[in-house]
Amino acid sequence: MFTKILRYFSVTAAVVIFLAAGVSAQRLVSNVSNGTLRPNVVGARLNEIFKNAPLAANSPQIELRKIVYTTIDVKGRSVNVSGLVAWPTGGAPNGLVVFCHGTIQDRRNSPSKWTGKPNGSEAETATYAFATGGYAVVIPDYLGLGDHQAAHPYPLNVTNARSARDSIVPARMLAMQTGYKIGPKLYVTGYSEGGGIAMALTRDLQGLNSSGYQVEKSAPASGPYDVTDTTRDFMLVDGTDTLGFGVRLYLLSYATYYFRKEHGVKITNYFKPTMANSIWLNYNSTVSDENLIKGLVITATLMRAKKSMKNVLTPEFISRLERLDKSDPLIAELAKQDVYDWSPRTPMLLINLEGDGVVDPRNTEKAFRTMRARGIGRDKLRRYIIPGEGLNHVIAVPNAMSAARKFFDEGFAGVRDAQ
């Protein structure tokens, strides 16, 4: 008990010190209610979302709040960004979970926009997964999404981890201002793009070596940890179905669009002119992610791409990508985003979907093998593979978050199939 009291006051003191020091990158600017989830709704929705990966039945009332806080953008400037905080009414004794969401380009689907209406989003899934278990949850929108009017730095694990890190103090400050009690423990998880960000965030927080940022457990899920090898090869593979091709096209075009918006690099340096024009038009319109992918696939079909990325990319870029030529600004930046080769000191559960057709499972396998080779044993690191039957990358989110919740609750003993 005495240890818990000391940890609580160390976290509170850390928040106060950061604020007193005027650290602009960690300041709560404003907050507003996004609504309240009533216990009867929580119970029914919890059972529906996690019907294939059940969680312990618990139906608290859950409060949703949008926060605006400060972070640092890609040019080192202090900017306001937004995020979602969710917590069970009456307190979150188990601590704070930072959940890093997967890839979206339609800012209307940003976590801070979620008001509790059932929609199957990752914000909804993470809220139900953790707030029903006595945890508070903070879900950053990231740079370029939510209220921040800029291009989202996709797929920059390290850059986006900064806005995730900077959400921690504002979330705890909101709790202090409202008299809400959050336990001192800190947890990190995320899915898909958010899995890579969660891995980068865990490494970042470990490097701070501060009690206020000490991670109790981390559970990155299905993330692109090896951007320059595994993910690069995955982007160029042929012989995929239409969905697999569309996703690859979406992900790589997102990166080139960001570099065009933020750094002025021409999309035609990477994609053939017809596709480059389609990318520019689609990303600059108000369109859902699903319709954006459809638009790109239609363009590729008209180009007779035959579901091959090599038929829509320029030969020069293919050559640079195969050689990992860092004279190319996009490749040089991607080379900084590998987050698998380090030694976590906090218990970590790596989660991935068997046969995932969007984020290659070899990312998780390589991270696992590399960390093992560094001497990280079963007491600190295990891997859980979600059986792939009947699942794909999108609909496996509840399974991943169920495993993360059980790991946070009970450690490795809570996920018996983890190796």
Side-chain angles (χ1 to χ4, degrees):
M1 178 62 72
F2 184 66
T3 301
K4 291 182 178 180
I5 293 172
L6 283 179
R7 288 193 65 182
Y8 173 77
F9 279 107
S10 69
V11 170
T12 304
V15 173
V16 172
I17 289 170
F18 285 130
L19 292 170
V23 179
S24 61
Q26 299 170 334
R27 181 170 59 87
L28 177 65
V29 175
S30 64
N31 76 93
V32 63
S33 174
N34 268 19
T36 301
L37 302 173
R38 303 300 180 189
N40 62 319
V41 173
V42 171
R45 192 65 179 140
L46 180 69
N47 291 334
E48 185 176 358
I49 294 172
F50 295 96
K51 60 184 177 182
N52 295 320
L55 289 170
N58 191 17
S59 305
Q61 180 169 285
I62 298 174
E63 298 176 28
L64 306 174
R65 300 199 73 84
K66 172 187 172 181
I67 60 170
V68 175
Y69 63 98
T70 51
T71 190
I72 301 298
D73 71 4
V74 295
K75 295 182 179 178
R77 301 171 299 195
S78 178
V79 294
N80 289 350
V81 293
S82 49
L84 178 73
V85 172
W87 56 40
T89 300
N94 288 342
L96 177 66
V97 174
V98 182
F99 176 78
C100 304
H101 69 83
T103 306
I104 56 173
Q105 66 81 33
D106 184 355
R107 67 179 61 250
R108 294 172 298 181
N109 292 329
S110 301
S112 68
K113 307 292 186 184
W114 187 57
T115 58
K117 182 178 179 180
N119 64 359
S121 67
E122 288 183 26
E124 180 186 27
T125 301
T127 293
Y128 280 102
F130 301 110
T132 59
Y135 301 87
V137 190
V138 59
I139 310 176
D141 288 336
Y142 310 140
L143 293 168
L145 293 169
D147 287 4
H148 186 237
Q149 300 296 316
H152 171 56
Y154 180 82
L156 308 190
N157 292 325
V158 177
T159 299
N160 290 305
R162 177 62 185 261
S163 59
R165 188 190 84 181
D166 288 345
S167 71
I168 296 170
V169 167
R172 290 198 178 277
M173 190 61 221
L174 174 63
M176 290 177 63
Q177 288 180 357
T178 57
Y180 186 83
K181 295 291 192 300
I182 296 178
K185 293 181 180 179
L186 179 65
Y187 302 83
V188 174
T189 187
Y191 190 81
S192 194
E193 178 187 359
I197 295 169
M199 182 75 87
L201 175 60
T202 306
R203 185 182 66 177
D204 184 14
L205 294 174
Q206 179 172 293
L208 293 178
N209 199 29
S210 167
S211 61
Y213 286 134
Q214 181 180 339
V215 178
E216 187 74 15
K217 297 184 183 80
S218 176
S222 294
Y225 315 120
D226 177 23
V227 177
T228 55
D229 187 8
T230 301
T231 303
R232 174 197 59 181
D233 292 347
F234 193 63
M235 285 293 127
L236 294 176
V237 70
D238 284 334
T240 62
D241 57 15
T242 300
L243 175 61
F245 171 70
V247 168
R248 287 168 171 80
L249 184 55
Y250 168 55
L251 298 179
L252 193 52
S253 66
Y254 203 163
T256 60
Y257 174 74
Y258 163 70
F259 270 79
R260 170 65 180 87
K261 290 284 287 186
E262 188 62 40
H263 302 288
V265 180
K266 293 180 180 179
I267 300 176
T268 49
N269 288 359
Y270 306 106
F271 285 91
K272 292 178 179 178
T274 300
M275 182 57 71
N277 185 59
S278 179
I279 290 168
W280 183 252
L281 292 175
N282 275 284
Y283 279 90
N284 278 301
S285 62
T286 304
V287 62
S288 69
D289 290 86
E290 180 182 1
N291 286 333
L292 187 149
I293 294 173
K294 288 180 179 177
L296 297 179
V297 169
I298 288 172
T299 299
T301 301
L302 293 174
M303 293 174 65
R304 299 181 179 178
K306 300 178 181 179
K307 294 181 285 190
S308 171
M309 290 293 292
K310 293 178 180 178
N311 289 331
V312 295
L313 297 172
T314 66
E316 295 80 11
F317 178 54
I318 293 172
S319 176
R320 293 194 300 271
L321 197 57
E322 290 174 338
R323 291 181 286 111
L324 202 62
D325 182 355
K326 295 180 185 178
S327 67
D328 183 290
L330 173 58
I331 296 173
E333 191 61 40
L334 293 179
K336 301 174 185 177
Q337 308 309 316
D338 289 342
V339 291
Y340 65 89
D341 191 2
W342 62 289
S343 301
R345 295 194 298 266
T346 189
M348 178 177 287
L349 180 68
L350 294 175
I351 303 167
N352 73 273
L353 172 66
E354 179 183 37
D356 194 331
V358 174
V359 178
D360 194 325
R362 289 180 298 168
N363 280 279
T364 303
E365 180 183 349
K366 188 168 186 177
F368 183 73
R369 286 191 289 103
T370 302
M371 290 175 177
R372 275 281 191 265
R374 281 176 159 268
I376 309 302
R378 281 174 55 82
D379 61 322
K380 292 293 185 183
L381 177 70
R382 297 190 194 180
R383 179 186 181 189
Y384 173 64
I385 301 175
I386 302 168
E389 186 176 355
L391 296 176
N392 60 36
H393 184 79
V394 175
I395 63 177
V397 180
N399 301 69
M401 290 305 98
S402 176
R405 159 74 184 281
K406 292 171 183 175
F407 174 54
F408 293 168
D409 285 349
E410 305 176 51
F412 293 122
V415 190
R416 294 185 180 88
D417 293 332
Q419 302 298 314

PDB file of all heavy atoms in Angstrom, residues 396-415:
ATOM      1  N   ALA A 396     -10.033  -7.815 -36.873  1.00  0.00           N
ATOM      2  CA  ALA A 396      -9.293  -8.475 -35.785  1.00  0.00           C
ATOM      3  C   ALA A 396      -8.959  -7.523 -34.642  1.00  0.00           C
ATOM      4  O   ALA A 396      -8.362  -7.947 -33.651  1.00  0.00           O
ATOM      5  CB  ALA A 396      -8.014  -9.103 -36.326  1.00  0.00           C
ATOM      6  N   VAL A 397      -9.330  -6.259 -34.753  1.00  0.00           N
ATOM      7  CA  VAL A 397      -8.995  -5.288 -33.698  1.00  0.00           C
ATOM      8  C   VAL A 397      -9.536  -5.714 -32.328  1.00  0.00           C
ATOM      9  O   VAL A 397      -8.805  -5.674 -31.334  1.00  0.00           O
ATOM     10  CB  VAL A 397      -9.492  -3.874 -34.068  1.00  0.00           C
ATOM     11  CG1 VAL A 397      -9.129  -2.881 -32.968  1.00  0.00           C
ATOM     12  CG2 VAL A 397      -8.877  -3.417 -35.384  1.00  0.00           C
ATOM     13  N   PRO A 398     -10.813  -6.133 -32.210  1.00  0.00           N
ATOM     14  CA  PRO A 398     -11.291  -6.566 -30.886  1.00  0.00           C
ATOM     15  C   PRO A 398     -10.483  -7.723 -30.306  1.00  0.00           C
ATOM     16  O   PRO A 398     -10.225  -7.765 -29.095  1.00  0.00           O
ATOM     17  CB  PRO A 398     -12.739  -6.972 -31.151  1.00  0.00           C
ATOM     18  CG  PRO A 398     -13.148  -6.176 -32.343  1.00  0.00           C
ATOM     19  CD  PRO A 398     -11.916  -6.131 -33.202  1.00  0.00           C
ATOM     20  N   ASN A 399     -10.071  -8.664 -31.147  1.00  0.00           N
ATOM     21  CA  ASN A 399      -9.265  -9.777 -30.665  1.00  0.00           C
ATOM     22  C   ASN A 399      -7.932  -9.296 -30.109  1.00  0.00           C
ATOM     23  O   ASN A 399      -7.463  -9.767 -29.063  1.00  0.00           O
ATOM     24  CB  ASN A 399      -9.011 -10.780 -31.801  1.00  0.00           C
ATOM     25  CG  ASN A 399     -10.290 -11.344 -32.387  1.00  0.00           C
ATOM     26  OD1 ASN A 399     -11.041 -10.629 -33.046  1.00  0.00           O
ATOM     27  ND2 ASN A 399     -10.545 -12.621 -32.158  1.00  0.00           N
ATOM     28  N   ALA A 400      -7.325  -8.341 -30.811  1.00  0.00           N
ATOM     29  CA  ALA A 400      -6.044  -7.800 -30.360  1.00  0.00           C
ATOM     30  C   ALA A 400      -6.194  -7.034 -29.053  1.00  0.00           C
ATOM     31  O   ALA A 400      -5.382  -7.177 -28.124  1.00  0.00           O
ATOM     32  CB  ALA A 400      -5.456  -6.896 -31.439  1.00  0.00           C
ATOM     33  N   MET A 401      -7.251  -6.219 -28.949  1.00  0.00           N
ATOM     34  CA  MET A 401      -7.433  -5.423 -27.740  1.00  0.00           C
ATOM     35  C   MET A 401      -7.888  -6.260 -26.559  1.00  0.00           C
ATOM     36  O   MET A 401      -7.587  -5.949 -25.404  1.00  0.00           O
ATOM     37  CB  MET A 401      -8.428  -4.289 -28.009  1.00  0.00           C
ATOM     38  CG  MET A 401      -7.872  -3.209 -28.937  1.00  0.00           C
ATOM     39  SD  MET A 401      -6.288  -2.501 -28.370  1.00  0.00           S
ATOM     40  CE  MET A 401      -5.079  -3.431 -29.360  1.00  0.00           C
ATOM     41  N   SER A 402      -8.587  -7.355 -26.830  1.00  0.00           N
ATOM     42  CA  SER A 402      -8.947  -8.282 -25.765  1.00  0.00           C
ATOM     43  C   SER A 402      -7.685  -8.903 -25.168  1.00  0.00           C
ATOM     44  O   SER A 402      -7.541  -9.012 -23.937  1.00  0.00           O
ATOM     45  CB  SER A 402      -9.873  -9.378 -26.302  1.00  0.00           C
ATOM     46  OG  SER A 402     -10.167 -10.339 -25.314  1.00  0.00           O
ATOM     47  N   ALA A 403      -6.755  -9.311 -26.049  1.00  0.00           N
ATOM     48  CA  ALA A 403      -5.490  -9.883 -25.569  1.00  0.00           C
ATOM     49  C   ALA A 403      -4.690  -8.852 -24.786  1.00  0.00           C
ATOM     50  O   ALA A 403      -4.106  -9.164 -23.732  1.00  0.00           O
ATOM     51  CB  ALA A 403      -4.678 -10.406 -26.753  1.00  0.00           C
ATOM     52  N   ALA A 404      -4.669  -7.603 -25.277  1.00  0.00           N
ATOM     53  CA  ALA A 404      -3.940  -6.548 -24.570  1.00  0.00           C
ATOM     54  C   ALA A 404      -4.537  -6.292 -23.191  1.00  0.00           C
ATOM     55  O   ALA A 404      -3.814  -6.157 -22.195  1.00  0.00           O
ATOM     56  CB  ALA A 404      -3.958  -5.267 -25.399  1.00  0.00           C
ATOM     57  N   ARG A 405      -5.859  -6.241 -23.115  1.00  0.00           N
ATOM     58  CA  ARG A 405      -6.536  -6.020 -21.828  1.00  0.00           C
ATOM     59  C   ARG A 405      -6.210  -7.139 -20.835  1.00  0.00           C
ATOM     60  O   ARG A 405      -5.898  -6.888 -19.661  1.00  0.00           O
ATOM     61  CB  ARG A 405      -8.033  -5.916 -22.077  1.00  0.00           C
ATOM     62  CG  ARG A 405      -8.939  -6.173 -20.903  1.00  0.00           C
ATOM     63  CD  ARG A 405      -9.013  -5.096 -19.839  1.00  0.00           C
ATOM     64  NE  ARG A 405      -9.866  -5.608 -18.767  1.00  0.00           N
ATOM     65  CZ  ARG A 405     -11.203  -5.630 -18.801  1.00  0.00           C
ATOM     66  NH1 ARG A 405     -11.861  -5.134 -19.847  1.00  0.00           N
ATOM     67  NH2 ARG A 405     -11.889  -6.134 -17.790  1.00  0.00           N
ATOM     68  N   LYS A 406      -6.266  -8.387 -21.289  1.00  0.00           N
ATOM     69  CA  LYS A 406      -5.977  -9.516 -20.402  1.00  0.00           C
ATOM     70  C   LYS A 406      -4.522  -9.487 -19.943  1.00  0.00           C
ATOM     71  O   LYS A 406      -4.209  -9.833 -18.800  1.00  0.00           O
ATOM     72  CB  LYS A 406      -6.312 -10.828 -21.113  1.00  0.00           C
ATOM     73  CG  LYS A 406      -7.812 -11.014 -21.348  1.00  0.00           C
ATOM     74  CD  LYS A 406      -8.110 -12.213 -22.235  1.00  0.00           C
ATOM     75  CE  LYS A 406      -9.608 -12.329 -22.500  1.00  0.00           C
ATOM     76  NZ  LYS A 406      -9.925 -13.423 -23.455  1.00  0.00           N
ATOM     77  N   PHE A 407      -3.637  -9.064 -20.833  1.00  0.00           N
ATOM     78  CA  PHE A 407      -2.228  -8.921 -20.474  1.00  0.00           C
ATOM     79  C   PHE A 407      -2.042  -7.824 -19.435  1.00  0.00           C
ATOM     80  O   PHE A 407      -1.295  -7.989 -18.457  1.00  0.00           O
ATOM     81  CB  PHE A 407      -1.424  -8.622 -21.744  1.00  0.00           C
ATOM     82  CG  PHE A 407       0.024  -8.316 -21.499  1.00  0.00           C
ATOM     83  CD1 PHE A 407       0.838  -9.182 -20.782  1.00  0.00           C
ATOM     84  CD2 PHE A 407       0.588  -7.149 -22.014  1.00  0.00           C
ATOM     85  CE1 PHE A 407       2.195  -8.898 -20.580  1.00  0.00           C
ATOM     86  CE2 PHE A 407       1.929  -6.852 -21.815  1.00  0.00           C
ATOM     87  CZ  PHE A 407       2.732  -7.729 -21.099  1.00  0.00           C
ATOM     88  N   PHE A 408      -2.718  -6.709 -19.614  1.00  0.00           N
ATOM     89  CA  PHE A 408      -2.623  -5.621 -18.638  1.00  0.00           C
ATOM     90  C   PHE A 408      -3.196  -6.060 -17.285  1.00  0.00           C
ATOM     91  O   PHE A 408      -2.672  -5.702 -16.233  1.00  0.00           O
ATOM     92  CB  PHE A 408      -3.352  -4.381 -19.145  1.00  0.00           C
ATOM     93  CG  PHE A 408      -2.720  -3.731 -20.356  1.00  0.00           C
ATOM     94  CD1 PHE A 408      -3.415  -2.757 -21.072  1.00  0.00           C
ATOM     95  CD2 PHE A 408      -1.453  -4.083 -20.784  1.00  0.00           C
ATOM     96  CE1 PHE A 408      -2.836  -2.149 -22.182  1.00  0.00           C
ATOM     97  CE2 PHE A 408      -0.865  -3.475 -21.899  1.00  0.00           C
ATOM     98  CZ  PHE A 408      -1.564  -2.513 -22.599  1.00  0.00           C
ATOM     99  N   ASP A 409      -4.271  -6.824 -17.317  1.00  0.00           N
ATOM    100  CA  ASP A 409      -4.920  -7.273 -16.079  1.00  0.00           C
ATOM    101  C   ASP A 409      -4.079  -8.296 -15.316  1.00  0.00           C
ATOM    102  O   ASP A 409      -3.900  -8.199 -14.097  1.00  0.00           O
ATOM    103  CB  ASP A 409      -6.274  -7.925 -16.398  1.00  0.00           C
ATOM    104  CG  ASP A 409      -7.356  -6.923 -16.753  1.00  0.00           C
ATOM    105  OD1 ASP A 409      -7.141  -5.715 -16.559  1.00  0.00           O
ATOM    106  OD2 ASP A 409      -8.422  -7.353 -17.235  1.00  0.00           O
ATOM    107  N   GLU A 410      -3.573  -9.295 -16.046  1.00  0.00           N
ATOM    108  CA  GLU A 410      -2.982 -10.463 -15.383  1.00  0.00           C
ATOM    109  C   GLU A 410      -1.547 -10.771 -15.797  1.00  0.00           C
ATOM    110  O   GLU A 410      -0.978 -11.779 -15.354  1.00  0.00           O
ATOM    111  CB  GLU A 410      -3.838 -11.699 -15.673  1.00  0.00           C
ATOM    112  CG  GLU A 410      -5.306 -11.569 -15.311  1.00  0.00           C
ATOM    113  CD  GLU A 410      -6.088 -12.801 -15.730  1.00  0.00           C
ATOM    114  OE1 GLU A 410      -5.653 -13.920 -15.389  1.00  0.00           O
ATOM    115  OE2 GLU A 410      -7.124 -12.640 -16.403  1.00  0.00           O
ATOM    116  N   GLY A 411      -0.949  -9.948 -16.637  1.00  0.00           N
ATOM    117  CA  GLY A 411       0.380 -10.274 -17.131  1.00  0.00           C
ATOM    118  C   GLY A 411       0.318 -11.396 -18.155  1.00  0.00           C
ATOM    119  O   GLY A 411      -0.731 -11.690 -18.737  1.00  0.00           O
ATOM    120  N   PHE A 412       1.454 -12.060 -18.381  1.00  0.00           N
ATOM    121  CA  PHE A 412       1.507 -13.118 -19.382  1.00  0.00           C
ATOM    122  C   PHE A 412       0.566 -14.274 -19.042  1.00  0.00           C
ATOM    123  O   PHE A 412       0.103 -14.991 -19.933  1.00  0.00           O
ATOM    124  CB  PHE A 412       2.942 -13.636 -19.527  1.00  0.00           C
ATOM    125  CG  PHE A 412       3.883 -12.625 -20.119  1.00  0.00           C
ATOM    126  CD1 PHE A 412       5.007 -12.226 -19.415  1.00  0.00           C
ATOM    127  CD2 PHE A 412       3.642 -12.076 -21.359  1.00  0.00           C
ATOM    128  CE1 PHE A 412       5.895 -11.315 -19.954  1.00  0.00           C
ATOM    129  CE2 PHE A 412       4.518 -11.142 -21.913  1.00  0.00           C
ATOM    130  CZ  PHE A 412       5.650 -10.754 -21.206  1.00  0.00           C
ATOM    131  N   ALA A 413       0.253 -14.456 -17.760  1.00  0.00           N
ATOM    132  CA  ALA A 413      -0.653 -15.524 -17.365  1.00  0.00           C
ATOM    133  C   ALA A 413      -2.048 -15.326 -17.935  1.00  0.00           C
ATOM    134  O   ALA A 413      -2.806 -16.277 -18.101  1.00  0.00           O
ATOM    135  CB  ALA A 413      -0.724 -15.605 -15.840  1.00  0.00           C
ATOM    136  N   GLY A 414      -2.403 -14.070 -18.262  1.00  0.00           N
ATOM    137  CA  GLY A 414      -3.725 -13.773 -18.800  1.00  0.00           C
ATOM    138  C   GLY A 414      -3.867 -14.148 -20.262  1.00  0.00           C
ATOM    139  O   GLY A 414      -4.986 -14.192 -20.782  1.00  0.00           O
ATOM    140  N   VAL A 415      -2.733 -14.380 -20.949  1.00  0.00           N
ATOM    141  CA  VAL A 415      -2.758 -14.744 -22.366  1.00  0.00           C
ATOM    142  C   VAL A 415      -2.015 -16.063 -22.495  1.00  0.00           C
ATOM    143  O   VAL A 415      -0.835 -16.113 -22.839  1.00  0.00           O
ATOM    144  CB  VAL A 415      -2.115 -13.640 -23.234  1.00  0.00           C
ATOM    145  CG1 VAL A 415      -2.351 -13.905 -24.727  1.00  0.00           C
ATOM    146  CG2 VAL A 415      -2.645 -12.262 -22.869  1.00  0.00           C
TER     147      VAL A 415
END
